[in-house]
Amino acid sequence: AAAGTILDISGDANQAKILTKDGEAIQGNNPTFGLGVDPADERFNPFELVEGRWASGGRQVVIDLNTADKYGFHVGERVQVAGEGPVRTYTLTGIARFGDVASLGGATIALFDVPTARKVLDKTGFDAVAVAGREGVDTQKLIDSIRTAIPVSAQVRTGAEQAAEDGEGVGEFVTFIRYFLLAFGGIALFVGAFVIFNTLSITVAQRTKELATLRTLGASRRQVLRSVVLEGFVLGIVASAIGLALGVLLAKGLTALFGALNLEMPQADMVFRWRTVVVAMLTGTIVTLVASVWPAVRATRIAPISAVREGGMIVKKPSRKTLVFGLLVTGLSVFGLVYGTLGEGVSTAGRVLGIGLGALGTFVGLAAIAPRLVRPLARVVGLPAARLGGAAGRLAQENAVRNPGRTASTAAALMIGLTLVSFVAVFGKALLESDEKALEKQLAASHVISSQSGWDTVPVGAGRIAGAAPGVQVASAIRGDRAQKVGAGEVDVSGVDPKTIAAAYNFEWVEGSRESLATLARGDAIVREGEGHVGDTLRLMTPAGKQLEAHVRGVYRKHGDLDQLLGQVVLSQATFDAKFPRPGDLLTLVQADSTTGLGRALAAFPDAKLQTGEEFISNRTAWLNDVMSLFYVLLALSVIVSLFGMVNTLVLAVFERTRELGMLRAVGMTRRQARRMIRQESVITALIGAALGLPLGVGLAALVTQSLSKYGVSFSLPVGTLVVFTVVAIVAGMLAAIAPARRASRLN
């Protein structure tokens, strides 16, 4: 058996928009497929009917289950679909799903029979022919016999080979997502290590008498070491088990987050492997054990005589060795960062190692130096509390510097999170402004017509109708596709109208001039700088399997490297239409007096999106804001972990200062003053973290931005955003102080 299908979902060749009942095209950041299947032989059909029957004939359609549920479509209703042309109305005969996949994310699928799919998509032939051999026929013999009956340009693969190739791209994407999320998990664990280290250090210090008593009773240093490490081991196992359970809930939360950002991904049933359990438990336990080693070593140094000492715990001054270590690590790490970002001729692996290890080492080095910085920083950030908070504020400032090591390690956890979010803010703003400037330099039109998604093509009829609309001076459509450059990789190819494009797009010529555009009508080409020189001969292979040869008559300058409205190769629309399959317009640049006439003219094309130049630039760069928002949400995990660390430290500090707090209450401190003192101490600690983290994040972003300056990225400081992050640090300090402050105020 053999059946031809229209089932290619590897590119944008099979795009068909389903309209809502209100006539709006269903479109987000997800594909909108129009596909064709042969209902006569279901063995080759990857879709499964949930309700109704398969489409048959030119006026019937089947849609996917997710779209039907989400937009309230039912079998027997009328559904509007826009393919390569105006909207057409079809009868919904069935609802289907793709295999046993619960959801295809935000993708929509309109299924027709094969002849109808050809008309909707303006295609000829098939995307693929599925074949099943007779029982007992050798696979290789079947392949050989098929090859004799098909064109040389066609390929024959077994089902397993095709599945492997189809899954390769998906596998790469899933691997990227996995490592992307694991990176944030690693950051949270790194911050968690500071919290564990600080908590165990405090508890060991508070158990000085207990541990000293054990030493007087004969406990060896090794036994003390073993007891503290074992404590860390038990904590690691219990916390990892709880974290594993919370991770499942977090995965569902992230799925909802992706959906909210219009980045919804396909969903099957949840997969929970033993490997996940083993890796999670081992990672959490090992991180806890590593963080507990130094507190355990410190516990072995407690002298037995400490068992009979009276008074508070002894606070050691920051060690000179620790300072030297911190300065050395910080210096080497800064060198690694500079080498990785600004070094010439450095390999990709060298840059990644330099930046990654440099950033990690900088955090460790600053954490080691931080105890020396606590006192001067506390004087500055604690000044408002001391001046305005009365006696409670002055005590809070003094408490913050009483144990510099403890305050530094608590602030260091928050420092890491604030460093990363400030880096994202500064670097993201630099990319955003550079992208906006590049688009402003290119655009010479008052309006832009694109697809609703911004990356699909719009039928060429939309651009023609826009050109005839009242009040329009110029309407210049830009076709778009990709082609294989002979002897090189793939390139983006644009098809333009040589007569009108110069009035809508700002060319800066490296070679040639505006007169070079006139040569496009003869079949010649212009190219972006870096793609060739005047006089070169271009040889391209288009997706239609046609060869294209053109002489370069001009070279135009690219505006930055982020967003280009024209491809690397620019042809005339006539040449483009003759060589590329199903030509469509990526953009139409319009110079018009108003949007009214244009809006009416485009009513027949629901996927056509009309925007002013400013709106187009804003929407075109909106993805950067979405990505930054995603980073903020994921980095918030590290801030939350540091929040737990601050709560831990304050609770233990309140417990440690029970007698002192009771004495303050005895000499007249009110409950409100006690709460205020703890709260302001927490805020001062948080602001120390901000004072360390924000400048470090800005510095890292400045380094990376400078390394990308040759690509048109320029440094820009988002002062407002950094102020917001400072406020976030203050709020984090206040939240962390709620339970400890209440506990302090209740002391008798």
Side-chain angles (χ1 to χ4, degrees), residues 435 437-445 504-507 556-560 563-566 589:
D435 198 9
K437 288 176 183 176
L439 290 169
E440 286 169 1
K441 286 181 180 179
Q442 295 174 74
L443 200 61
Y505 183 89
N506 291 321
F507 284 97
Y556 76 96
R557 190 181 307 281
K558 60 182 177 180
H559 297 277
D563 207 344
Q564 306 298 320
L565 299 182
L566 290 179
L589 310 182

Side-chain angles (χ1 to χ4, degrees), residues 388-530:
L388 305 175
R394 291 192 297 274
L395 285 169
Q397 188 182 38
E398 291 173 13
N399 287 336
V401 298
R402 181 186 295 185
N403 192 329
R406 177 188 301 177
T407 302
S409 56
T410 305
L414 185 61
M415 172 193 74
I416 297 168
L418 290 176
T419 297
L420 295 172
V421 294
S422 59
F423 170 80
V424 170
V426 176
F427 184 56
K429 190 172 191 293
L431 289 177
L432 186 64
E433 288 193 356
S434 302
D435 198 9
E436 288 174 345
K437 288 176 183 176
L439 290 169
E440 286 169 1
K441 286 181 180 179
Q442 295 174 74
L443 200 61
S446 62
H447 295 77
V448 178
I449 300 170
S450 67
S451 66
Q452 295 290 340
S453 68
W455 50 267
D456 283 340
T457 57
V458 176
V460 295
R464 293 181 188 138
I465 288 177
V472 173
Q473 288 91 47
V474 175
S476 189
I478 301 174
R479 312 267 203 273
D481 209 333
R482 292 182 69 77
Q484 186 71 35
K485 189 176 180 181
V486 176
E490 286 191 339
V491 291
D492 291 316
V493 182
S494 297
V496 302
D497 182 354
K499 297 177 182 177
T500 61
I501 187 62
Y505 183 89
N506 291 321
F507 284 97
E508 287 185 25
W509 297 100
V510 179
E511 297 180 45
S513 64
R514 184 167 179 167
E515 283 68 36
S516 303
L517 293 169
T519 65
L520 298 181
R522 303 198 302 263
D524 293 329
I526 62 172
V527 297
R528 191 189 298 165
E529 64 176 319

